[in-house]
DNA sequence: AAACTCAACGCAAACGCTTGCGCAACAGCG
DNA sequence: CGCTGTTGCGCAAGCGTTTGCGTTGAGTTT
């Protein structure tokens, strides 16, 4: 029923090996014969069986992409861009969505990608054990999040610089009580929240502002979490006049909480986010923009390059530019109340 | 280097066929031997090569999911849910992101999923030619968008009912000049915008409101498109006092446009969206909620069922519930101006 | 004209698994 | 006790490619 390489070979009056070579543009077959074969293959609607060819060749022409939540804007956007690069290069992508701890565990113990992929792009930060498991695959690895990791190509941003620009902006506006909504709920090895928190503390210290632990809350990187966190901050003895959220989603949650508390933004409270979410502009959110799609595409390109030249040296590290985007959720604090 | 089935067989003192059967829980191997084999396999860290087993069995344990834009909330959410169902059932998902016409064309001519997947879930509406190509794969097919299609299991919503509830809501508030931002830019065979438009027209007719073509604009299903469309509507001789957008993203674009025009929502203009986007609540958008993740999960489940019982009858059709969610972007029109 | 290259192609052996079939061994039956 | 079933397992033939190597014949060198 299904047309195989021998069918093509027979129809073209050559051997299967010649068909194989011709269709893949390998040397060892004359121009005319190759043309003939391509024509016949097209006429018969022949597509090589991926299973068979990867079994024989050891190459799968497939990239594994593991992501915590495809549904979230950040990951969806990275994936979108990466997928375009991969598919343009003739690679398919095998998607693993590892949101819950169980699926994540299942993935890393069963390792379904073993012998199924030529490389893997991880959009989540593997812990020591997990990255060891990935390395054991013996294929090029890349990630777009978190810091340096042995064996991984990482393309990311300067989290500290980004955070600095955001918090410094609030300081410059005159704010002294600056809260932070972090997304630190994840495992410790995720360096992003840590780096951003450090930068936050440093800017405060630099401005001579004493740090108040009551002005920090965890937002879990979600809208709901951000809302909860903001509510928490508002309950503090002396609530913040400005808030830096480590992601736009959390910032939007914060906006919602503020609205529910009948507080005006930026009159009563300023808020700045991180990411430049697609909808940040709609809500007028001041934020730190990072090239999200750009990171996905770049990581994909680097991975492909490693595939092409396996003898290349250390996996690279790329820092993408960030920039503060001023919109309408930040303003000087209202000159009222004590201090 | 890599451990194969024969390694396990040797170590367990049985034949490869017995290992194969034991590991897949097939009958024909005694309990103790099976236990032995599983233990040995675990100790050796054996994972069956997917290429080899699919070559031999013809089954791939992989589902192809084709989607227009993974980055967009709707598709990302559907995909997320579907992936969970698939992976829980032991299936991997091969992702094809077909946003641009070129990649789409490439996909449907090269058909890279041929012999690579056991089923495909399409999140885009294939035209006649494309769905014929999909059917030629000879595997179960499902989609979560658009209307009935021969050979496809489709789980969706009642677009007309959803639209009716939205537009009727505006009518009931007293609006007479009700604009619509549609997403009809796609190919004609996409029934969603068409169905929604019809329902829109019907409600107007039913309310005795004459239809004004100047109150319709195309928003391309994007935020930017929605903004453009709203700007267009505002330029009409008699601009609308309310707008129904066929997606929340377009509605949010409309909100942005309105803000730029210094018009207040809902005081000057009411707007209602469609989807109940994750952030609809943040901006207070009144909208028609549909179970997005639910549709993805349900479609995935139906696909798996077809895989289990291939002799089942016609592919099913499921209608998921919708409901109007009232928030803060709709209100009665201001009683001023002529009529 | 013999010896040698080299390009173009075919042969056949993998690749690692699944599965129909055959063959013991053992149980239950008349 | 022979006979038929049944259970548990091994044999070996695929599945559809890729690829190292061998063969052929035309072209080039001495």
């Amino acid at each position: 029923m299904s047309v195989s390489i021998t069918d093509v070979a027979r129809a073209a009056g050559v051997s299967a090996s010649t068909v194989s070579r011709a269709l893949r543009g390998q040397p060892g077959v004359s121009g005319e014969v190759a043309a003939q074969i391509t024509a016949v293959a097209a006429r018969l609607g022949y597509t090589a069986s991926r299973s068979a060819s990867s079994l024989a060749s050891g190459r799968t022409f497939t990239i594994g992409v593991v992501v915590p939540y495809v549904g979230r804007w950040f990951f969806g956007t990275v994936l979108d861009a990466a997928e375009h690069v991969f598919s343009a290069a003739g690679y398919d992508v095998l998607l693993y969505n590892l949101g819950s701890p169980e699926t994540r565990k299942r993935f890393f113990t069963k390792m379904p990608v073993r012998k199924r992929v030529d490389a893997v792009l991880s959009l989540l930060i593997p812990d020591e054990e997990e990255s060891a498991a990935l390395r054991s695959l013996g294929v090029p690895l890349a990630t777009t999040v978190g810091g340096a990791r042995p064996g991984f190509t990482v393309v990311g941003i300067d989290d500290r610089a980004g955070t600095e620009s955001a918090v410094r902006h609030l300081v410059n506006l005159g704010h002294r009580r600056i809260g932070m909504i972090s997304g630190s709920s994840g495992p410790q090895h995720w360096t992003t929240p840590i780096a951003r928190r450090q930068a936050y503390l440093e800017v405060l210290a630099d401005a001579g502002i004493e740090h108040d632990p009551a002005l920090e809350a965890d937002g879990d990187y979600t809208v709901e979490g951000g809302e909860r966190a903001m509510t928490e901050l508002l309950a503090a003895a002396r609530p913040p006049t400005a808030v830096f959220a480590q992601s736009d989603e959390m910032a939007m949650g914060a906006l919602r909480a503020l609205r529910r508390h009948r507080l005006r933004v930026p009159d009563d409270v300023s808020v700045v986010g991180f990411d430049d979410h697609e909808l940040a502009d709609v809500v007028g959110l001041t934020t730190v923009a990072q090239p999200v799609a750009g990171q996905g595409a770049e990581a994909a390109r680097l991975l492909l390059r490693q595939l092409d030249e396996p003898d290349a040296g250390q996996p690279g590290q790329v820092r993408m530019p960030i920039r503060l985007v001023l919109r309408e959720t930040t303003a000087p604090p209202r000159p009222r109340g004590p201090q």
Side-chain angles (χ1 to χ4, degrees), chain A:
Chain A
M1 52 158 290
S2 176
V3 31
S4 82
I5 198 172
T6 50
D7 298 329
V8 178
R10 193 166 336 141
V14 294
S15 76
S17 23
T18 302
V19 174
S20 173
R21 282 187 262 259
L23 258 26
R24 283 174 307 137
Q26 283 202 346
V29 31
S30 73
E32 10 184 6
V33 174
Q36 231 277 53
I37 291 176
T38 349
V40 171
R43 178 160 55 79
L44 266 49
Y46 169 72
T47 312
S49 153
R50 280 298 240 280
S51 324
S53 44
S54 25
L55 180 57
S57 70
R59 297 204 54 178
T60 66
F61 278 98
T62 301
I63 310 280
V65 178
V66 351
V67 8
Y69 307 95
V70 241
R72 290 197 190 161
W73 175 81
F74 182 89
F75 299 110
T77 305
V78 172
L79 173 61
D80 190 316
E83 200 276 352
H84 275 300
V85 173
F86 288 139
S87 75
Y91 285 83
D92 288 340
V93 356
L94 218 30
L95 177 70
Y96 294 93
N97 194 31
L98 268 36
S100 70
E102 307 89 61
T103 58
R104 181 167 181 151
K105 191 169 164 199
R106 178 152 40 104
F107 176 84
F108 282 105
T109 63
K110 300 202 61 175
M111 271 290 150
V113 289
R114 190 177 299 284
K115 304 193 209 146
R116 279 211 83 177
V117 300
D118 292 340
V120 6
L121 170 60
S122 174
L123 267 40
L124 52 77
I125 317 279
D127 63 25
E128 265 317 324
E129 202 175 333
E130 291 167 346
S131 50
L134 287 177
R135 273 193 295 269
S136 81
L137 294 175
V139 300
L141 268 22
T143 176
T144 59
V145 272
R149 194 147 211 99
F152 284 77
T153 289
V154 12
V155 359
I157 55 164
D158 189 335
D159 280 303
R160 307 179 61 104
T163 304
E164 270 178 39
S165 66
V167 182
R168 215 178 286 280
H169 168 57
L170 294 175
V171 169
N172 290 343
L173 284 173
H175 291 279
R176 307 286 297 173
R177 297 198 58 74
I178 301 174
M180 178 171 70
I181 299 178
S182 61
S184 53
S185 76
Q188 279 69 8
H189 53 268
W190 189 352
T191 59
T192 304
I194 300 174
R196 293 185 187 174
R197 177 164 190 271
Q198 272 187 354
Y200 161 75
L201 294 178
E202 279 175 20
V203 172
L204 291 193
D206 204 54
I209 301 174
E210 197 188 345
H211 171 237
D212 179 355
L215 294 188
E216 279 191 60
D218 189 3
D220 192 36
Y221 280 109
T222 65
V223 176
E224 292 73 24
E227 182 172 6
R228 273 197 308 275
M230 188 71 237
T231 310
E232 218 174 286
L233 294 185
L234 289 176
R238 298 179 56 207
T241 63
V243 166
F244 164 61
Q246 288 191 11
S247 84
D248 281 355
E249 261 122 334
M250 294 191 292
M252 293 182 192
L255 292 181
R256 184 157 73 187
L258 289 166
R259 220 175 28 160
R260 295 236 161 109
H261 281 77
R262 309 249 169 262
L263 289 169
R264 307 210 50 137
V265 175
D267 313 272
D268 300 317
V269 178
S270 285
V271 6
V272 24
F274 205 116
D275 284 349
D276 199 20
H277 186 288
E278 176 191 22
L279 295 174
D281 190 29
V282 173
V283 297
L285 181 65
T286 292
T287 190
V288 180
Q290 63 168 317
V292 180
Q295 290 177 75
E298 182 65 13
R301 272 190 292 265
L302 290 178
L303 221 38
L304 290 179
R305 190 180 318 167
Q306 282 182 74
L307 248 23
D308 285 346
E309 31 191 79
D311 50 343
Q314 306 298 340
Q317 255 184 257
V318 177
R319 274 265 198 283
M320 307 282 279
I322 44 133
R323 77 174 200 289
L324 184 65
V325 177
L326 300 179
R327 294 206 182 89
E328 300 133 49
T329 55
T330 48
R334 273 226 292 245
R336 70 153 189 178
Q339 166 65 303

